[in-house]
Amino acid sequence: MIQSQRHPFVLLLLLALSVSDGFAQTRFQRASITVDATKPVGRRSPLLYGQFLEFMFEGVKFGLHAELLRNRSFDEQANAIGLPRYWERYPDDRNDDYALNFYWDDKISYPERTDSEIKPHSLRVDVGEGVTPRHGIFQSRIHLRAGVDYVCSVWLRTDDYDGQVTFALEQDDSRARIYSESTVTPFKGQWRQYKVHLKSLVNDPLARFVVLFNGKGRIWIDQISLMPGDALDGVRRDVFTRIKDLRPAFLRWPGGNVAQDYHWLWGVGPRDERTSWINLSWKNEVESGDFGTVEYIRLARNVGAEPTITVNVEGRGATADEAAAWVEYCNGSTATKYGALRAAHGYPEPFNVKLWEIGNEIWGDWVRGHSDADTYAQNLNRYAAAMRKVDPTIKLIAVGV
Protein backbone atom coordinates (compact mmCIF):
# COMPACT_ATOMS: atom_id res chain seq x y z
CA MET A 1 0.00 0.00 0.00
CA ILE A 2 2.83 2.31 0.78
CA GLN A 3 4.64 1.47 -2.51
CA SER A 4 1.50 2.17 -4.55
CA GLN A 5 1.36 5.69 -3.11
CA ARG A 6 4.94 6.41 -4.23
CA HIS A 7 4.52 5.38 -7.89
CA PRO A 8 2.65 8.55 -9.05
CA PHE A 9 5.33 10.76 -7.47
CA VAL A 10 8.13 8.88 -9.24
CA LEU A 11 6.31 9.09 -12.56
CA LEU A 12 5.75 12.82 -12.17
CA LEU A 13 9.41 13.35 -11.30
CA LEU A 14 10.59 11.40 -14.34
CA LEU A 15 8.18 13.38 -16.54
CA ALA A 16 9.46 16.71 -15.18
CA LEU A 17 13.08 15.72 -15.80
CA SER A 18 12.23 14.70 -19.34
CA VAL A 19 10.48 18.00 -20.11
CA SER A 20 13.32 19.98 -18.50
CA ASP A 21 15.92 18.13 -20.58
CA GLY A 22 13.97 18.77 -23.76
CA PHE A 23 13.57 22.46 -22.95
CA ALA A 24 17.30 22.80 -22.27
CA GLN A 25 18.02 21.27 -25.66
CA THR A 26 15.66 23.63 -27.54
CA ARG A 27 16.26 26.81 -25.54
CA PHE A 28 19.82 27.24 -26.70
CA GLN A 29 19.34 26.55 -30.38
CA ARG A 30 21.25 29.13 -32.43
CA ALA A 31 19.27 31.52 -34.63
CA SER A 32 20.72 33.13 -37.74
CA ILE A 33 19.80 36.18 -39.83
CA THR A 34 20.82 36.61 -43.43
CA VAL A 35 21.18 40.16 -44.74
CA ASP A 36 21.26 40.70 -48.49
CA ALA A 37 22.85 44.15 -48.88
CA THR A 38 22.09 44.12 -52.62
CA LYS A 39 18.34 44.31 -52.01
CA PRO A 40 17.42 47.38 -49.89
CA VAL A 41 13.84 47.25 -48.62
CA GLY A 42 13.70 50.79 -47.23
CA ARG A 43 15.68 53.98 -46.92
CA ARG A 44 16.75 55.70 -43.72
CA SER A 45 15.88 59.38 -43.54
CA PRO A 46 18.99 61.57 -43.68
CA LEU A 47 17.38 63.61 -40.87
CA LEU A 48 17.07 60.66 -38.50
CA TYR A 49 19.96 61.70 -36.23
CA GLY A 50 20.35 65.15 -34.71
CA GLN A 51 20.78 67.16 -31.53
CA PHE A 52 18.79 69.79 -29.68
CA LEU A 53 19.61 72.89 -27.68
CA GLU A 54 17.73 74.31 -24.72
CA PHE A 55 18.05 77.23 -22.32
CA MET A 56 18.65 74.84 -19.44
CA PHE A 57 21.01 75.85 -16.63
CA GLU A 58 24.31 76.40 -18.48
CA GLY A 59 23.39 74.64 -21.70
CA VAL A 60 23.42 77.92 -23.63
CA LYS A 61 24.81 80.63 -21.40
CA PHE A 62 28.33 79.83 -20.16
CA GLY A 63 28.17 76.57 -22.09
CA LEU A 64 27.47 77.06 -25.78
CA HIS A 65 27.54 80.86 -25.91
CA ALA A 66 30.94 82.53 -25.68
CA GLU A 67 30.00 85.42 -23.38
CA LEU A 68 32.25 85.32 -20.30
CA LEU A 69 30.38 87.73 -18.03
CA ARG A 70 27.36 86.79 -15.97
CA ASN A 71 24.48 89.21 -15.51
CA ARG A 72 26.04 91.60 -17.99
CA SER A 73 22.82 93.63 -18.15
CA PHE A 74 22.72 94.12 -14.34
CA ASP A 75 19.07 93.00 -14.37
CA GLU A 76 19.41 90.32 -11.69
CA GLN A 77 18.73 91.13 -8.05
CA ALA A 78 21.17 93.33 -6.14
CA ASN A 79 22.63 92.62 -2.70
CA ALA A 80 22.62 94.85 0.37
CA ILE A 81 25.27 97.25 -0.99
CA GLY A 82 23.57 97.64 -4.37
CA LEU A 83 25.67 95.24 -6.47
CA PRO A 84 23.65 92.93 -8.74
CA ARG A 85 24.14 89.16 -8.73
CA TYR A 86 27.65 87.88 -9.65
CA TRP A 87 29.27 91.33 -9.24
CA GLU A 88 31.59 92.06 -6.30
CA ARG A 89 33.26 95.11 -4.83
CA TYR A 90 36.91 95.55 -5.82
CA PRO A 91 39.45 94.97 -4.39
CA ASP A 92 37.47 93.03 -1.76
CA ASP A 93 34.08 92.93 -0.08
CA ARG A 94 34.98 95.25 2.77
CA ASN A 95 32.48 98.07 2.92
CA ASP A 96 34.83 100.74 4.29
CA ASP A 97 35.58 102.43 0.96
CA TYR A 98 33.33 105.43 1.55
CA ALA A 99 34.32 106.92 -1.83
CA LEU A 100 32.41 104.26 -3.78
CA ASN A 101 28.65 103.72 -3.58
CA PHE A 102 26.47 101.49 -5.75
CA TYR A 103 22.82 101.75 -6.69
CA TRP A 104 20.74 99.19 -8.64
CA ASP A 105 18.93 101.72 -10.83
CA ASP A 106 15.56 100.91 -12.41
CA LYS A 107 15.00 104.47 -13.65
CA ILE A 108 17.92 104.68 -16.08
CA SER A 109 19.06 101.76 -18.23
CA TYR A 110 20.23 100.82 -21.70
CA PRO A 111 18.16 100.23 -23.68
CA GLU A 112 15.30 102.21 -22.21
CA ARG A 113 12.31 99.97 -22.90
CA THR A 114 8.94 99.25 -21.34
CA ASP A 115 8.01 95.96 -23.06
CA SER A 116 10.27 93.69 -21.00
CA GLU A 117 8.83 91.25 -18.47
CA ILE A 118 11.88 91.99 -16.32
CA LYS A 119 12.26 95.62 -15.35
CA PRO A 120 15.54 96.81 -16.92
CA HIS A 121 18.26 98.06 -14.60
CA SER A 122 21.69 99.59 -14.80
CA LEU A 123 24.39 99.93 -12.18
CA ARG A 124 24.87 103.49 -10.92
CA VAL A 125 28.21 104.24 -9.30
CA ASP A 126 28.82 107.36 -7.22
CA VAL A 127 32.55 107.97 -7.01
CA GLY A 128 34.30 110.36 -4.63
CA GLU A 129 37.63 110.70 -2.84
CA GLY A 130 38.62 107.88 -0.53
CA VAL A 131 41.44 105.83 0.90
CA THR A 132 41.44 103.11 -1.79
CA PRO A 133 42.88 104.48 -5.02
CA ARG A 134 42.25 101.39 -7.18
CA HIS A 135 38.60 100.57 -6.66
CA GLY A 136 35.59 99.36 -8.63
CA ILE A 137 33.77 96.08 -9.32
CA PHE A 138 34.79 92.65 -10.57
CA GLN A 139 33.73 89.16 -11.57
CA SER A 140 35.80 86.08 -10.86
CA ARG A 141 36.12 82.69 -12.58
CA ILE A 142 37.05 84.14 -15.97
CA HIS A 143 38.80 81.52 -18.11
CA LEU A 144 41.70 83.21 -19.90
CA ARG A 145 43.74 81.65 -22.68
CA ALA A 146 47.14 83.01 -23.60
CA GLY A 147 47.28 84.99 -26.83
CA VAL A 148 43.52 85.30 -27.31
CA ASP A 149 42.17 88.78 -28.03
CA TYR A 150 39.28 89.53 -25.67
CA VAL A 151 36.83 92.21 -26.80
CA CYS A 152 35.22 94.21 -23.99
CA SER A 153 32.25 96.41 -24.85
CA VAL A 154 30.19 98.52 -22.47
CA TRP A 155 27.58 101.29 -22.43
CA LEU A 156 28.32 104.25 -20.14
CA ARG A 157 26.38 107.39 -19.29
CA THR A 158 27.28 110.37 -17.14
CA ASP A 159 26.45 114.02 -16.62
CA ASP A 160 29.27 115.01 -14.30
CA TYR A 161 31.86 112.21 -14.06
CA ASP A 162 35.41 113.49 -14.51
CA GLY A 163 38.07 110.87 -14.97
CA GLN A 164 38.62 107.52 -16.58
CA VAL A 165 37.20 104.01 -16.44
CA THR A 166 39.66 101.12 -16.68
CA PHE A 167 38.92 97.55 -17.74
CA ALA A 168 41.41 94.88 -16.69
CA LEU A 169 42.12 91.16 -16.57
CA GLU A 170 43.86 90.13 -13.37
CA GLN A 171 45.01 87.22 -11.28
CA ASP A 172 42.27 86.57 -8.73
CA ASP A 173 44.22 86.70 -5.47
CA SER A 174 45.80 89.26 -3.16
CA ARG A 175 48.75 89.72 -5.51
CA ALA A 176 46.37 90.95 -8.24
CA ARG A 177 48.84 90.46 -11.07
CA ILE A 178 47.59 92.52 -14.01
CA TYR A 179 47.48 90.54 -17.26
CA SER A 180 46.03 93.32 -19.41
CA GLU A 181 44.16 96.60 -19.02
CA SER A 182 42.76 99.42 -21.10
CA THR A 183 41.21 102.79 -20.23
CA VAL A 184 38.44 104.98 -21.67
CA THR A 185 37.37 108.53 -20.88
CA PRO A 186 33.56 108.74 -20.82
CA PHE A 187 31.82 111.58 -22.67
CA LYS A 188 29.14 113.51 -20.88
CA GLY A 189 25.58 113.21 -22.14
CA GLN A 190 23.52 110.25 -23.31
CA TRP A 191 24.43 106.57 -23.42
CA ARG A 192 27.51 105.79 -25.48
CA GLN A 193 29.19 102.47 -26.28
CA TYR A 194 32.93 101.92 -25.71
CA LYS A 195 35.11 99.01 -26.83
CA VAL A 196 38.55 97.95 -25.70
CA HIS A 197 40.75 94.93 -26.43
CA LEU A 198 42.47 92.91 -23.72
CA LYS A 199 45.01 90.12 -24.18
CA SER A 200 46.68 87.89 -21.63
CA LEU A 201 50.09 86.32 -22.22
CA VAL A 202 49.36 83.47 -19.79
CA ASN A 203 46.67 80.87 -19.27
CA ASP A 204 44.54 81.37 -16.18
CA PRO A 205 41.27 79.42 -15.84
CA LEU A 206 40.27 81.37 -12.71
CA ALA A 207 41.14 84.97 -13.51
CA ARG A 208 38.98 87.99 -12.79
CA PHE A 209 37.58 90.83 -14.87
CA VAL A 210 37.78 94.26 -13.26
CA VAL A 211 36.10 97.64 -13.88
CA LEU A 212 37.90 100.48 -12.12
CA PHE A 213 36.60 104.02 -11.59
CA ASN A 214 39.45 106.51 -11.62
CA GLY A 215 37.59 109.77 -11.23
CA LYS A 216 34.80 111.63 -9.41
CA GLY A 217 31.12 111.96 -10.08
CA ARG A 218 28.13 109.79 -10.97
CA ILE A 219 28.26 107.24 -13.77
CA TRP A 220 25.93 104.54 -15.05
CA ILE A 221 27.12 101.27 -16.58
CA ASP A 222 25.08 98.72 -18.56
CA GLN A 223 25.28 95.94 -21.18
CA ILE A 224 28.91 95.10 -20.49
CA SER A 225 30.42 92.19 -22.40
CA LEU A 226 33.66 90.20 -22.60
CA MET A 227 33.94 87.96 -25.65
CA PRO A 228 36.91 85.88 -26.83
CA GLY A 229 38.04 86.95 -30.28
CA ASP A 230 38.08 83.39 -31.60
CA ALA A 231 34.35 82.82 -30.99
CA LEU A 232 32.40 81.70 -34.06
CA ASP A 233 29.29 83.86 -34.46
CA GLY A 234 29.02 84.11 -30.68
CA VAL A 235 29.65 80.40 -30.03
CA ARG A 236 32.63 79.03 -28.10
CA ARG A 237 35.11 77.59 -30.57
CA ASP A 238 35.81 74.44 -28.53
CA VAL A 239 32.09 73.66 -28.18
CA PHE A 240 31.49 74.40 -31.86
CA THR A 241 34.21 71.93 -32.86
CA ARG A 242 32.70 69.16 -30.73
CA ILE A 243 29.19 69.74 -32.08
CA LYS A 244 30.49 69.65 -35.64
CA ASP A 245 32.33 66.40 -34.89
CA LEU A 246 28.97 64.84 -33.98
CA ARG A 247 27.78 65.54 -37.56
CA PRO A 248 24.15 66.18 -36.56
CA ALA A 249 21.69 66.24 -39.46
CA PHE A 250 19.52 68.76 -37.62
CA LEU A 251 19.61 70.98 -34.54
CA ARG A 252 16.38 71.60 -32.62
CA TRP A 253 15.86 74.82 -30.63
CA PRO A 254 14.81 76.60 -28.34
CA GLY A 255 13.71 73.46 -26.50
CA GLY A 256 12.52 71.38 -24.85
CA ASN A 257 10.22 72.66 -22.16
CA VAL A 258 11.56 76.16 -22.69
CA ALA A 259 9.94 76.24 -26.13
CA GLN A 260 6.60 76.58 -24.33
CA ASP A 261 7.93 79.62 -22.44
CA TYR A 262 9.85 81.36 -25.19
CA HIS A 263 8.82 84.39 -27.23
CA TRP A 264 11.04 84.76 -30.27
CA LEU A 265 11.10 88.57 -30.25
CA TRP A 266 13.19 88.35 -27.07
CA GLY A 267 16.13 87.16 -29.16
CA VAL A 268 16.30 89.32 -32.30
CA GLY A 269 17.85 92.67 -33.12
CA PRO A 270 21.07 94.24 -31.84
CA ARG A 271 22.41 92.12 -29.02
CA ASP A 272 22.64 94.90 -26.45
CA GLU A 273 19.05 95.96 -27.12
CA ARG A 274 17.49 92.57 -26.39
CA THR A 275 15.54 91.92 -23.25
CA SER A 276 16.23 89.59 -20.34
CA TRP A 277 13.55 87.00 -19.55
CA ILE A 278 12.65 84.53 -16.81
CA ASN A 279 13.09 80.83 -17.56
CA LEU A 280 9.98 79.35 -15.93
CA SER A 281 10.96 75.81 -16.93
CA TRP A 282 14.26 75.76 -15.06
CA LYS A 283 14.15 77.34 -11.60
CA ASN A 284 13.12 80.82 -12.79
CA GLU A 285 16.66 81.54 -13.93
CA VAL A 286 17.10 84.92 -15.61
CA GLU A 287 18.21 84.48 -19.22
CA SER A 288 19.65 87.04 -21.59
CA GLY A 289 18.54 87.42 -25.19
CA ASP A 290 22.11 87.03 -26.41
CA PHE A 291 21.58 83.70 -28.18
CA GLY A 292 18.55 84.13 -30.41
CA THR A 293 17.18 83.23 -33.81
CA VAL A 294 20.07 84.48 -35.94
CA GLU A 295 22.74 82.96 -33.69
CA TYR A 296 20.95 79.62 -33.69
CA ILE A 297 20.48 79.47 -37.46
CA ARG A 298 24.12 80.41 -38.02
CA LEU A 299 25.26 77.68 -35.64
CA ALA A 300 23.13 75.05 -37.38
CA ARG A 301 24.33 76.02 -40.83
CA ASN A 302 27.96 76.33 -39.70
CA VAL A 303 28.01 72.73 -38.42
CA GLY A 304 26.19 71.45 -41.51
CA ALA A 305 22.86 70.81 -39.78
CA GLU A 306 19.32 71.71 -40.77
CA PRO A 307 17.78 74.21 -38.32
CA THR A 308 14.58 72.97 -36.68
CA ILE A 309 12.60 75.57 -34.75
CA THR A 310 10.03 74.61 -32.11
CA VAL A 311 7.26 77.20 -31.82
CA ASN A 312 5.41 77.98 -28.62
CA VAL A 313 1.83 76.67 -28.70
CA GLU A 314 -0.45 78.59 -26.34
CA GLY A 315 2.20 78.78 -23.61
CA ARG A 316 2.76 82.00 -21.70
CA GLY A 317 0.40 83.92 -23.97
CA ALA A 318 1.70 82.52 -27.28
CA THR A 319 -0.57 82.60 -30.35
CA ALA A 320 -0.71 81.20 -33.87
CA ASP A 321 -0.09 84.71 -35.18
CA GLU A 322 3.16 84.87 -33.19
CA ALA A 323 4.30 81.56 -34.71
CA ALA A 324 3.42 82.79 -38.21
CA ALA A 325 5.35 86.00 -37.58
CA TRP A 326 8.41 83.93 -36.66
CA VAL A 327 8.14 82.08 -39.98
CA GLU A 328 7.86 85.44 -41.74
CA TYR A 329 10.93 86.78 -39.92
CA CYS A 330 12.94 83.75 -41.04
CA ASN A 331 11.55 83.20 -44.54
CA GLY A 332 9.58 86.25 -45.64
CA SER A 333 10.62 88.75 -48.26
CA THR A 334 11.60 92.27 -47.31
CA ALA A 335 8.19 93.39 -48.53
CA THR A 336 6.61 91.71 -45.48
CA LYS A 337 6.46 93.23 -42.00
CA TYR A 338 8.78 90.78 -40.30
CA GLY A 339 10.93 90.15 -43.34
CA ALA A 340 11.58 93.90 -43.33
CA LEU A 341 12.42 93.69 -39.62
CA ARG A 342 14.96 90.95 -40.39
CA ALA A 343 16.48 93.16 -43.09
CA ALA A 344 16.64 96.07 -40.64
CA HIS A 345 18.61 93.79 -38.34
CA GLY A 346 21.17 93.28 -41.11
CA TYR A 347 19.89 90.18 -42.93
CA PRO A 348 18.06 91.08 -46.17
CA GLU A 349 18.17 87.50 -47.53
CA PRO A 350 15.65 85.01 -46.08
CA PHE A 351 17.01 82.24 -43.88
CA ASN A 352 14.71 79.63 -45.51
CA VAL A 353 14.11 77.54 -42.40
CA LYS A 354 12.06 74.55 -43.54
CA LEU A 355 11.56 72.40 -40.42
CA TRP A 356 9.15 73.68 -37.77
CA GLU A 357 7.85 71.75 -34.78
CA ILE A 358 4.48 72.70 -33.32
CA GLY A 359 4.94 72.76 -29.54
CA ASN A 360 6.82 70.55 -27.10
CA GLU A 361 5.48 67.78 -24.84
CA ILE A 362 2.01 69.29 -24.85
CA TRP A 363 0.64 66.27 -22.97
CA GLY A 364 2.66 67.14 -19.85
CA ASP A 365 1.42 69.45 -17.11
CA TRP A 366 5.03 70.59 -16.60
CA VAL A 367 4.86 72.84 -19.67
CA ARG A 368 2.84 75.97 -20.22
CA GLY A 369 0.02 75.46 -22.73
CA HIS A 370 -0.39 71.73 -22.04
CA SER A 371 -3.68 70.17 -23.17
CA ASP A 372 -5.40 66.92 -24.08
CA ALA A 373 -5.04 65.31 -27.51
CA ASP A 374 -8.21 66.78 -28.98
CA THR A 375 -7.33 70.33 -27.99
CA TYR A 376 -3.81 69.95 -29.30
CA ALA A 377 -5.13 68.63 -32.63
CA GLN A 378 -7.30 71.74 -32.97
CA ASN A 379 -4.37 74.01 -32.07
CA LEU A 380 -2.11 72.13 -34.47
CA ASN A 381 -4.50 72.81 -37.34
CA ARG A 382 -4.76 76.51 -36.46
CA TYR A 383 -1.01 76.97 -36.15
CA ALA A 384 -0.31 74.99 -39.31
CA ALA A 385 -2.78 77.08 -41.31
CA ALA A 386 -1.33 80.38 -40.05
CA MET A 387 2.28 79.34 -40.61
CA ARG A 388 1.71 77.81 -44.05
CA LYS A 389 -0.15 80.91 -45.12
CA VAL A 390 3.17 82.73 -44.71
CA ASP A 391 5.28 79.98 -46.35
CA PRO A 392 3.51 76.95 -47.90
CA THR A 393 6.83 75.13 -48.41
CA ILE A 394 7.66 74.59 -44.72
CA LYS A 395 7.54 71.11 -43.21
CA LEU A 396 5.74 70.71 -39.91
CA ILE A 397 6.38 68.27 -37.07
CA ALA A 398 3.56 67.42 -34.66
CA VAL A 399 3.93 66.43 -31.01
CA GLY A 400 3.05 62.86 -30.09
CA VAL A 401 0.28 62.40 -27.52
Side-chain angles (χ1 to χ4, degrees), residues 7 24 43 76 84 97 105 111-112 126 145 156 165 169 172 174 201 222 237 258 264 268 274 276 293 314 329 356 370:
H7 291 164
R43 295 192 179 275
E76 298 188 54
D97 182 6
D105 199 335
E112 296 179 356
D126 293 338
R145 290 170 289 135
L156 300 174
V165 178
L169 299 173
D172 191 13
S174 59
L201 298 179
D222 210 346
R237 180 173 288 273
V258 175
W264 67 270
V268 297
R274 300 178 189 179
S276 301
T293 299
E314 304 296 297
Y329 183 86
W356 296 80
H370 72 91

Side-chain angles (χ1 to χ4, degrees), residues 304-338:
E306 190 67 25
T308 303
I309 293 179
T310 306
V311 302
N312 185 343
V313 176
E314 304 296 297
R316 210 173 185 174
T319 65
D321 288 341
E322 180 182 0
W326 204 355
V327 175
E328 187 172 280
Y329 183 86
C330 291
N331 298 350
S333 74
T334 55
T336 63
K337 176 180 177 180
Y338 291 103

Side-chain angles (χ1 to χ4, degrees), residues 65-86:
H65 197 248
E67 177 60 60
L68 291 171
L69 298 182
R70 302 169 186 266
N71 191 16
R72 71 183 198 88
S73 64
F74 302 97
D75 287 336
E76 298 188 54
Q77 185 66 45
N79 60 19
I81 65 171
L83 281 177
R85 184 186 183 193
Y86 298 121

Side-chain angles (χ1 to χ4, degrees), residues 245-313:
D245 287 345
L246 292 172
R247 299 171 60 189
F250 67 88
L251 287 180
R252 177 177 179 254
W253 174 86
N257 296 345
V258 175
Q260 290 297 119
D261 293 332
Y262 190 69
H263 293 287
W264 67 270
L265 282 169
W266 290 340
V268 297
R271 179 174 171 237
D272 289 344
E273 295 179 12
R274 300 178 189 179
T275 182
S276 301
W277 53 281
I278 299 174
N279 189 335
L280 299 181
S281 292
W282 301 110
K283 304 298 184 181
N284 296 321
E285 180 71 9
V286 176
E287 306 279 358
S288 76
D290 285 352
F291 190 85
T293 299
V294 172
E295 290 78 16
Y296 157 68
I297 293 173
R298 280 178 165 178
L299 170 62
R301 298 267 164 80
N302 285 342
V303 300
E306 190 67 25
T308 303
I309 293 179
T310 306
V311 302
N312 185 343
V313 176

Side-chain angles (χ1 to χ4, degrees), residues 6 176 182 187 298-299 325 352 383:
R6 291 178 180 175
S182 185
F187 292 90
R298 280 178 165 178
L299 170 62
N352 294 318
Y383 277 66

